[in-house]
Amino acid sequence: MKYPTNYLKLLNFRLRQHSHITRKLIHTTSTDTPQLEVKFSNGRNLIMTAGKYARFANATAVCEMGDTAVMVTAVAKTKPTPGTNFTPLVVDYRLKTAASGRIPTNFLRREMGPSEKEILSARLIDRSLRPLFPAEYRTETQLVCNMLALDSVYSPDVLALNASSLALSLSDIPWNGPIGAVRLGLCDGEIIVNPTRRELQSSQLDLVVSATKQNLVVMLEGKGNVVLQQDLLKAIKQGTREAQVIVQEIERLQRTYGKEKRPLESIMTVGEEIAAAVRSMSEMRLREIFQDAKHDKISRDVAVNEVRSNVIDKVWSSYPDTEPALITEEFNRLCKSIFRELVFETQLRCDGRDYDSLRNISCQVDLYKPLHGSALFQRGQTQVFCTVALDSQESAMKLDTLSALESGIKAKNFMLHYEFPPYATGEVGRVGGVGRRELGHGALAEKALVPTLPNDFPFTVRLTSEVLESNGSSSMATVCGGSLALMDAGVPVSAPAAGVAIGLVTKYENNDTKHMQDYRILTDILGIEDYMGDMDMKVAGTRKGFTAIQADLKIPGIPLKVVMEALQKATDAKTKILDIMAEAIREPRKVKKECWPVTERITVEPQQRGQVIGAGGINLKKLYIETGCTATTEDETTFTLFAPSQSAMHEAKEMIDTFLVPKERIPDLEFGGIYTAKITELRDTGVMVILYNGMPPALLHNSQLDQRKVAHPSALGLEVGQEIQVKYFGRDPVSGFMRLSRKVLQPTVSIVRSLNKTNPSEEQNENPSSS
């Protein structure tokens, strides 16, 4: 067959066009689908593909590792959202059971609202991407992370983060990426890059590092089993190096296939004359406010708001053609600039502290008698009230199927619930459902405390943290207050834990954060220092090492040097906080409180198990209703009793004794012994007999009544109340029932049968003993 000349020319042109692509860029024959492969130092590969699916989106990327594949689509509106002064970025991350070959177990058998794991993963991606959006970008943008396949070996959240980086890089959405992200583990002192689920279960560290080019760290989040500082620093350094490989490959793909970035629409600002008027009327007053250490959160906010209102009114009256919103933005920009300048000029912070000083800390424990454990932790104007409730192991939280597959844990026996009511900041708001912020802060505090808990604790622990006042780092105050409450509840923690937030104020030009002109690291930051600053790094752990870390940035990355200095300051502050906490309580309480629950194991005979449970579990229900005690079956003979108090345990054990036949009435039966049994009931299958008074009737089956085949016990003339001799052969190992036999005590009868079966009547006459 001959092809047209025009077709051959077009084919040759296409071949010449793509001949310069490197060997790592693979194309299919049907569509121009770029694909790259990233090889990490430990030999594991990450494959990323772009443009194959969802082509109506601005860009689509698929990231694969092992048999796990995640697709991310990036879509942005064409015009900025009016009246918005921030980047409206939305990240939707959903784990789909269909991707793992499962069906949801809810009533509708379909995916419902996002789970806690999905929300936390979405926040992880958001915090990694947001610092790299230009400040002028105000267009609504959505990233949808869609699970294509899950193999329960590699976690999909880091894959979704890398796919998001590739999608934004190839799209026309303005973004100063790309970034690369890796997960790091620590086993036997060796760093593992992108560990599997099984490796993570035995790993001391689970750390996610997001970094951009020039080894700039963008985001850190992780948990550890008391990881030493040098090991954590080593993991961060290696994670940053490994991320550079991903960044380089994405940049290579972006140069060839990336779309031209859409131009940024200029943001309306006030003129130089109005800006000068705002500065002249507010600069001195703001400097005085920010240098007055007598101010607290409320009084400082009130003073700044008064200046803001006064300046806006005066400037607007002089320039009535200017929108008040633009004057407000100019004032806020100036306010932030003055606050940051004073940090460098005065070497002091707005509350009078130097860079490394902590706020005043006070601790109290055992506040209310009915509580198993309680603590009040106050740090400056941040106040957290923590309570501990101990319950039975049946109260452990059962995880959904996908969370169990990913984490390898089916149930959680430690839960930390973080609450942030509106009155904590003096505001009026809705009290009710848990928001994404509350979930994130609670999960971080839970990561910090879990490594200190014992593995064999017999209770389920619920730690509730209610923020009563908030002026910075309430999540780290939750770690401190939670550790105190656990020790007050007698939970044998390995060591107390504490947390602190580290801030950062920098000077740089043209988004070049690699070569900073100057910077200041702030220990134990206030809420205003978090808002006006460039970093919020939360670090928690024991005296020995780290248990949790989370670093959020507002600038496009910081050098490793700054990260190392911040971690060292966090270590020093953590030690000081633990010293103060030790003044309230040094170790877990050993003298029991009256309100503490108790747990015991009881052992019963196999035949008594049914008596304890009762028909349809009626006895266990009665036990719980009357005493509050729950009984859990461990095996055929052992029950675990949980009672809310020692007195309830005594009452429950007395009630169980009433369910059982007293032990002194149960004689020891000898295997192979011959006993006199009394018939209590005739059945089609045999007779029910007892060997002693008070014994539950045991079945003597028809097959064990006589040497001959018996269809019904009445054929042998047996009656209720009659006594017979039986032989005891112990109990059945499965059912626990007695094994009795009367047949073995009967004389053996020889039966002679003729081989000639043509005349049965003659055979019967010849062998009268067979009848």
Side-chain angles (χ1 to χ4, degrees):
M1 177 179 179
K2 292 185 178 181
Y3 292 97
T5 306
N6 292 336
Y7 176 80
L8 294 176
K9 289 182 179 179
L10 178 62
L11 180 61
N12 291 330
F13 172 76
R14 289 292 187 187
L15 293 174
R16 290 194 306 271
Q17 186 179 11
H18 298 296
S19 60
H20 67 282
I21 303 300
T22 61
R23 61 184 178 83
K24 288 190 177 182
L25 302 181
I26 307 169
H27 306 275
T28 61
T29 57
S30 58
T31 58
D32 191 11
T33 304
Q35 178 175 302
L36 62 86
E37 180 180 1
V38 178
K39 293 185 177 181
F40 297 104
S41 59
N42 59 349
R44 290 176 180 169
N45 298 342
L46 179 72
I47 300 174
M48 289 192 282
T49 309
K52 185 177 181 180
Y53 304 120
R55 297 174 186 174
F56 285 160
N58 291 67
T60 305
V62 177
C63 189
E64 301 178 43
M65 180 171 281
D67 291 327
T68 295
V70 182
M71 180 185 75
V72 176
T73 57
V75 179
K77 291 186 176 181
T78 55
K79 295 183 178 181
T81 305
T84 303
N85 58 358
F86 62 94
T87 301
L89 173 66
V90 177
V91 178
D92 288 318
Y93 178 94
R94 300 301 300 273
L95 290 170
K96 295 187 176 180
T97 54
S100 59
R102 306 297 292 269
I103 298 176
T105 56
N106 55 56
F107 178 76
L108 296 177
R109 296 297 189 271
R110 64 182 302 166
E111 283 75 12
M112 305 296 286
S115 65
E116 180 177 345
K117 170 63 179 175
E118 292 168 328
I119 292 174
L120 296 177
S121 298
R123 284 171 53 88
L124 176 76
I125 298 171
D126 185 293
R127 300 199 320 270
S128 300
L129 303 177
R130 190 177 292 273
L132 296 174
F133 280 95
E136 302 81 10
Y137 184 67
R138 307 290 173 82
T139 305
E140 188 174 348
T141 305
Q142 183 183 34
L143 294 172
V144 179
C145 306
N146 186 9
M147 305 299 121
L148 301 180
L150 298 175
D151 62 358
S152 72
V153 176
Y154 294 102
S155 181
D157 51 2
V158 174
L159 302 184
L161 181 48
N162 287 310
S164 300
S165 175
L166 177 58
L168 286 173
S169 299
L170 297 182
S171 71
D172 61 343
I173 301 172
W175 190 59
N176 299 323
I179 65 169
V182 293
R183 173 172 263 111
L184 302 156
L186 178 64
C187 294
D188 299 327
E190 295 294 329
I191 303 297
I192 303 176
V193 181
N194 290 324
T196 64
R197 179 177 60 85
R198 288 183 176 272
E199 290 172 338
L200 276 178
Q201 291 176 359
S202 59
S203 173
Q204 283 187 283
L205 178 67
D206 181 4
L207 176 68
V208 177
V209 177
S210 299
T212 185
K213 55 186 176 182
Q214 296 183 321
N215 290 321
L216 296 178
V217 177
V218 179
M219 195 278 307
L220 297 172
E221 179 164 323
K223 59 182 179 180
N225 187 12
V226 191
V227 178
L228 300 179
Q229 182 177 352
Q230 59 267 27
D231 290 332
L232 179 62
L233 297 179
K234 179 181 176 183
I236 295 174
K237 289 180 181 178
Q238 183 163 347
T240 306
R241 289 196 303 268
E242 299 286 348
Q244 299 308 300
V245 184
I246 303 175
V247 171
Q248 293 169 7
E249 292 298 329
I250 293 179
E251 283 183 333
R252 182 184 302 178
L253 207 63
Q254 183 182 13
R255 287 192 294 268
T256 306
Y257 294 95
K259 299 178 183 178
E260 182 179 356
K261 298 297 182 182
R262 66 178 71 171
L264 292 170
E265 296 192 15
S266 59
I267 300 175
M268 294 184 61
T269 58
V270 297
E272 294 182 2
E273 186 177 357
I274 298 177
V278 172
R279 174 175 285 274
S280 64
M281 283 188 286
S282 58
E283 182 173 8
M284 295 304 298
R285 298 163 69 181
L286 288 175
R287 281 180 170 269
E288 182 180 351
I289 293 171
F290 290 145
Q291 293 182 81
D292 188 356
K294 296 180 181 179
H295 279 302
D296 61 8
K297 173 183 171 63
I298 301 299
S299 63
R300 187 182 297 109
D301 290 347
V302 170
V304 172
N305 288 333
E306 288 178 356
V307 175
R308 180 186 289 109
S309 301
N310 182 264
V311 170
I312 292 173
D313 290 342
K314 289 183 178 181
V315 173
W316 191 33
S317 62
S318 302
Y319 302 93
D321 295 336
T322 305
E323 294 184 9
L326 296 180
I327 303 175
T328 302
E329 284 192 23
E330 178 62 24
F331 177 86
N332 293 339
R333 186 197 63 77
L334 178 65
C335 183
K336 183 175 182 179
S337 176
I338 292 174
F339 182 90
R340 296 166 64 92
E341 288 173 2
L342 287 173
V343 173
F344 292 97
E345 292 175 7
T346 64
Q347 308 296 317
L348 294 174
R349 296 147 75 174
C350 62
D351 59 353
R353 289 182 292 153
D354 59 26
Y355 301 139
D356 300 331
S357 295
L358 297 170
R359 290 174 285 174
N360 293 331
I361 297 175
S362 62
C363 309
Q364 287 180 271
V365 296
D366 196 16
L367 279 77
Y368 300 100
K369 289 185 178 180
L371 303 177
H372 297 158
S374 59
L376 184 68
F377 183 83
Q378 181 93 40
R379 177 160 50 192
Q381 286 185 292
T382 297
Q383 185 184 72
V384 174
F385 177 59
C386 295
T387 61
V388 171
L390 306 177
D391 212 322
S392 66
Q393 293 184 352
E394 293 296 310
S395 301
M397 186 175 71
K398 308 300 187 295
L399 298 183
D400 59 272
T401 304
L402 283 182
S403 298
L405 284 174
E406 186 174 351
S407 64
I409 302 173
K410 295 182 179 180
K412 288 174 58 177
N413 63 349
F414 174 70
M415 298 163 284
L416 191 151
H417 295 158
Y418 172 96
E419 300 175 5
F420 194 96
Y423 60 75
T425 53
E427 299 175 356
V428 176
R430 180 184 175 187
V431 178
V434 182
R436 301 170 76 96
R437 177 182 177 276
E438 284 77 10
L439 282 176
H441 284 198
L444 177 62
E446 183 176 306
K447 291 176 183 177
L449 292 174
V450 165
T452 67
L453 298 174
N455 295 326
D456 55 350
F457 195 56
F459 301 111
T460 296
V461 182
R462 181 183 187 238
L463 173 59
T464 303
S465 171
E466 185 172 359
V467 181
L468 306 181
E469 301 173 6
S470 178
N471 187 16
S473 189
S474 58
S475 61
M476 293 297 95
T478 295
V479 176
C480 300
S483 183
L484 292 171
L486 288 170
M487 290 190 289
D488 182 54
V491 179
V493 296
S494 58
V500 66
I502 305 296
L504 177 69
V505 180
T506 61
K507 285 184 179 180
Y508 59 92
E509 292 182 355
N510 301 324
N511 284 335
D512 185 11
T513 58
K514 177 68 174 179
H515 305 93
M516 291 183 180
Q517 298 173 348
D518 202 358
Y519 65 89
R520 295 290 186 272
I521 297 175
L522 310 179
T523 300
D524 187 18
I525 57 175
L526 299 169
I528 190 172
E529 292 172 333
D530 182 9
Y531 176 73
M532 301 286 194
D534 298 324
M535 180 182 74
D536 179 15
M537 177 185 285
K538 301 180 178 70
V539 180
T542 65
R543 292 183 187 273
K544 184 178 178 181
F546 296 91
T547 56
I549 182 173
Q550 184 182 94
D552 298 332
L553 298 176
K554 300 174 186 176
I555 58 177
I558 57 175
L560 282 170
K561 174 187 175 183
V562 179
V563 176
M564 305 308 168
E565 291 182 17
L567 285 175
Q568 182 58 51
K569 291 186 179 294
T571 302
D572 298 338
K574 176 164 56 75
T575 302
K576 296 177 183 178
I577 297 170
L578 288 171
D579 291 338
I580 299 173
M581 291 169 55
E583 297 176 4
I585 184 171
R586 290 186 172 273
E587 59 184 11
R589 190 182 299 275
K590 296 180 180 179
V591 179
K592 291 187 176 181
K593 296 182 181 181
E594 294 181 359
C595 64
W596 277 0
V598 292
T599 180
E600 282 189 30
R601 284 186 175 90
I602 62 170
T603 303
V604 298
E605 298 292 334
Q607 72 276 11
Q608 294 176 320
R609 184 172 179 269
Q611 297 175 1
V612 175
I613 298 174
I618 186 64
N619 288 346
L620 298 184
K621 295 176 183 177
K622 182 179 178 182
L623 187 71
Y624 177 75
I625 292 173
E626 296 188 10
T627 68
C629 179
T630 58
T632 307
T633 304
E634 288 191 6
D635 52 40
E636 295 177 357
T637 61
T638 306
F639 288 84
T640 298
L641 300 182
F642 170 85
S645 63
Q646 188 63 51
S647 59
M649 176 63 75
H650 291 319
E651 186 179 353
K653 292 172 73 174
E654 290 176 359
M655 183 175 291
I656 291 175
D657 288 340
T658 63
F659 298 155
L660 303 175
V661 177
K663 292 185 177 180
E664 59 270 17
R665 299 175 60 184
I666 303 178
D668 293 332
L669 301 178
E670 181 182 354
F671 187 91
I674 300 174
Y675 298 94
T676 300
K678 184 177 181 180
I679 300 176
T680 60
E681 182 185 355
L682 298 182
R683 295 186 177 181
D684 292 340
T685 56
V687 295
M688 303 299 292
V689 298
I690 58 174
L691 304 186
Y692 50 86
N693 294 331
M695 167 186 163
L699 176 66
L700 180 59
H701 197 267
N702 287 338
S703 61
Q704 299 297 327
L705 285 176
D706 199 88
Q707 294 286 349
R708 297 164 293 180
K709 185 176 180 180
V710 179
H712 193 275
S714 59
L716 299 176
L718 299 178
E719 298 178 353
V720 174
Q722 181 178 347
E723 293 184 349
I724 58 176
Q725 299 292 315
V726 296
K727 194 169 186 177
Y728 175 71
F729 290 100
R731 293 186 177 274
D732 187 276
V734 177
S735 64
F737 296 149
M738 282 188 179
R739 295 186 295 188
L740 304 173
S741 178
R742 179 175 177 264
K743 178 176 69 174
V744 296
L745 301 178
Q746 301 298 314
T748 303
V749 179
S750 299
I751 301 176
V752 181
R753 296 183 180 275
S754 173
L755 295 177
N756 184 11
K757 297 183 180 181
T758 56
N759 192 346
S761 58
E762 294 180 0
E763 180 183 346
Q764 185 174 4
N765 293 333
E766 293 176 359
N767 298 282
S769 60
S770 63
S771 56

